């Protein structure tokens, strides 16, 4: 395979929809001034749910950093394909919160080496597209997990994969709390520890990435292949016969 790139002809490209990077669009002139809107999901309904308690600590930190934070409480959320549709009140609530948000935190226990079914159900109810809107595309995401035993990264790795699939800007840092039952006091507050410090790190990073990208998100996720596809679909509609 030659490493000579002097021949820069690219006949495969559709020049009408191929464009150089517009640096000005990466530096938007209109900058949002409202607090970053962060939605937090957690993956357990136990009364003393360590994924929820960790999520609450994350919410406190985010609020201190200047975010507006809302939680989705998944009690009553039906299973996907269990005879209900998106008109169900809990599904509508979840989707409305996702549409409102500019970033998210997903916090799940690790159960049988994976995220919980409840966590996956919440994610499954979030559509990749809803009409002309893609609810998750371009939004930031931080992933967290708690474990009953030694430290593991199975759940965060799964959630990170899902975030990529849903075209979210999943930040590099993440939190994994081992032996979570030892990390919280009787009032449900997390004790000072390296695990707590990591959650602070992750929330700082989430805020920075959200502020850095939210005004440019539409351009960051603008894709050549989709521009071509949209143009082809438009042409097909315009040129339909028999209208």
């Amino acid at each position: 395979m030659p490493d000579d790139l002097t021949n820069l002809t690219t006949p495969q490209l559709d020049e009408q929809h191929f464009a150089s990077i517009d640096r000005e669009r990466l530096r938007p002139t209109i900058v949002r001034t409202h607090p970053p809107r962060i939605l937090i999901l957690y993956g357990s309904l136990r009364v003393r749910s360590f994924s929820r308690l960790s999520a609450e600590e994350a919410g406190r930190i985010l609020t201190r950093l200047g975010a507006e934070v809302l939680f989705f409480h998944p009690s009553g959320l039906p299973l996907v394909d269990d005879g209900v549709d998106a008109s169900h009140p809990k599904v509508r609530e979840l989707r409305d919160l996702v549409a409102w948000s500019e970033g998210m935190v997903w916090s799940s226990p690790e159960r049988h080496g994976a995220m919980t079914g409840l966590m996956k159900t919440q994610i499954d109810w979030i559509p990749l597209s809803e009409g002309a809107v893609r609810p998750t595309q371009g939004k930031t995401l931080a992933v967290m997990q708690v474990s009953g035993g030694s430290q593991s990264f199975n759940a965060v790795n799964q959630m990170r994969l899902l975030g990529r699939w849903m075209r979210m800007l999943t930040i590099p840092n993440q939190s994994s709390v081992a032996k979570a039952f030892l990390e919280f006091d009787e009032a449900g507050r997390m004790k000072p520890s390296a695990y707590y410090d990591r959650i602070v790190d992750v929330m700082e990073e989430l805020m920075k990435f959200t502020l850095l990208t939210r005004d440019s998100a539409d351009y960051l996720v603008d894709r050549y292949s989709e521009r071509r596809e949209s143009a082809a679909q438009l042409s097909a509609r315009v040129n339909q016969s028999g209208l």
Side-chain angles (χ1 to χ4, degrees), residues 63-222:
T63 302
R64 288 287 308 275
L65 290 170
E68 181 180 359
V69 176
L70 293 179
F71 285 79
F72 176 70
H73 303 291
S75 179
L77 182 69
L79 293 173
V80 178
D81 301 326
D82 192 20
V84 297
D85 58 24
S87 65
H88 188 282
K90 288 300 290 188
V91 177
R92 193 68 261 159
E93 177 191 354
L94 172 60
R95 292 188 175 190
D96 287 346
L97 285 170
V98 171
W100 165 87
S101 70
E102 297 168 331
M104 285 192 254
V105 178
W106 295 349
S107 176
S108 178
E110 180 173 316
R111 188 170 297 160
H112 298 316
M115 77 179 82
T116 60
L118 179 63
M119 191 77 235
K120 185 61 164 56
T121 295
Q122 292 174 82
I123 297 169
D124 283 346
W125 271 121
I126 302 171
L128 293 178
S129 63
E130 192 166 27
V133 177
R134 287 178 170 166
T136 56
Q137 179 167 270
K139 297 182 179 184
T140 53
L141 172 65
V143 293
M144 304 167 53
Q145 76 167 73
V146 296
S147 303
S150 59
Q151 191 173 42
S152 171
F153 301 96
N154 290 325
V156 288
N157 287 340
Q158 286 185 320
M159 291 187 287
R160 185 174 292 280
L161 186 151
L162 287 170
R164 179 188 62 78
W165 183 257
M166 298 170 80
R167 296 179 173 179
M168 303 184 76
L169 304 175
T170 309
I171 66 170
N173 214 339
Q174 60 190 23
S175 165
S176 176
V177 179
K179 297 182 179 178
F181 60 92
L182 298 176
E183 299 301 322
F184 293 83
D185 62 24
E186 292 182 359
R189 295 303 307 272
M190 197 168 184
K191 303 172 186 175
S193 68
Y195 292 131
Y196 180 82
D197 293 348
R198 174 56 68 89
I199 293 178
V200 177
D201 290 347
V202 174
M203 295 308 112
E204 281 185 339
E205 191 169 289
L206 177 64
M207 282 288 287
K208 292 173 184 176
F209 272 78
T210 304
L211 289 167
L212 186 66
T213 62
R214 68 177 179 174
D215 298 309
S216 304
D218 289 343
Y219 183 57
L220 289 171
V221 296
D222 181 53

